[in-house]
Amino acid sequence: WVMGMAVLFLFHSQGWALDDGKVAQDPLHLLETLEKRRVQLDEQAKKLEIRETDLKRLEEKLAGRIDALEKLRDAIRNDLEQEKQFDDKNVARLGKIYTSMKPGAAAEGLKALDQETAVKVLKVMPEKVVAKILNKMDSLSAGRLADELGMPLADKRRRGE
């Protein structure tokens, strides 16, 4: 008996709360409101599915681009390493050639090279030979090369004398 009274009280009491905060007294109105809300939620779910699909597609596209860039980076690194090895071999060969030359002729030949290459060549040569070559150069050229080599010019000239 108490249970039946409680159900009856709840059924006839305040009504049903709607999303907008209002209370629906009519069960039909409540059903219509719930149906509208279900339709809204279905539309939102479809939009979210479309957005999720687009995001997955963009992620795959981005992953492909990242992969391509990584392959390009690796290819560039490989090319640079090969170029460095080739450059190192040529510098070593030039170092041997300039070492075998007379200091005056070597000085003129090194002045004809760009400074970066001249420094690389001088770095692979014995210091005594480098000092003799720098001693035959004009002081401006010799000073620049000595600075790049990291030794004061006076030290290089002293070793060559």
Side-chain angles (χ1 to χ4, degrees):
W1 177 82
V2 174
M3 187 72 142
M5 290 299 285
V7 170
L8 186 62
F9 175 75
L10 285 173
F11 186 72
H12 288 294
S13 65
Q14 299 288 329
W16 294 275
L18 301 175
D19 281 346
D20 57 5
K22 297 179 183 174
V23 176
Q25 297 295 331
D26 180 16
L28 187 59
H29 180 68
L30 176 65
L31 287 175
E32 289 173 357
T33 304
L34 289 175
E35 179 61 21
K36 286 179 185 176
R37 182 68 179 145
R38 186 190 61 76
V39 169
Q40 288 174 343
L41 291 173
D42 287 347
E43 288 174 3
Q44 284 180 344
K46 286 178 185 177
K47 287 179 183 177
L48 287 175
E49 285 178 22
I50 291 170
R51 181 177 266 169
E52 187 176 324
T53 302
D54 288 346
L55 284 175
K56 285 181 183 178
R57 184 181 46 81
L58 290 173
E59 284 175 352
E60 290 170 0
K61 188 175 182 180
L62 185 60
R65 286 184 179 173
I66 289 171
D67 187 45
L69 286 174
E70 287 174 348
K71 287 178 181 176
L72 179 61
R73 180 197 61 206
D74 293 343
I76 290 171
R77 281 184 180 164
N78 187 34
D79 289 348
L80 286 174
E81 182 60 33
Q82 288 177 355
E83 184 70 27
K84 184 184 180 312
Q85 289 174 359
F86 179 75
D87 190 42
D88 290 346
K89 287 178 185 175
N90 284 338
V91 166
R93 196 173 119 243
L94 282 173
K96 288 179 185 177
I97 291 170
Y98 282 110
T99 299
S100 67
M101 295 171 71
K102 292 186 179 197
E108 288 302 313
L110 286 170
K111 280 175 54 176
L113 297 175
D114 65 275
Q115 186 166 335
E116 182 181 341
T117 304
V119 169
K120 287 179 182 179
V121 170
L122 289 171
K123 283 183 176 182
V124 299
M125 297 171 65
E127 285 188 16
K128 285 191 174 208
V129 174
V130 171
K132 288 179 183 177
I133 292 171
L134 290 178
N135 195 35
K136 295 293 183 176
M137 288 184 171
D138 63 273
S139 59
L140 182 62
S141 297
R144 275 192 245 142
L145 290 172
D147 286 343
E148 289 288 325
L149 291 168
M151 295 181 75
L153 182 58
D155 288 349
K156 292 199 176 290
R157 288 197 171 155
R158 195 174 22 250
R159 286 191 188 122
E161 295 176 352

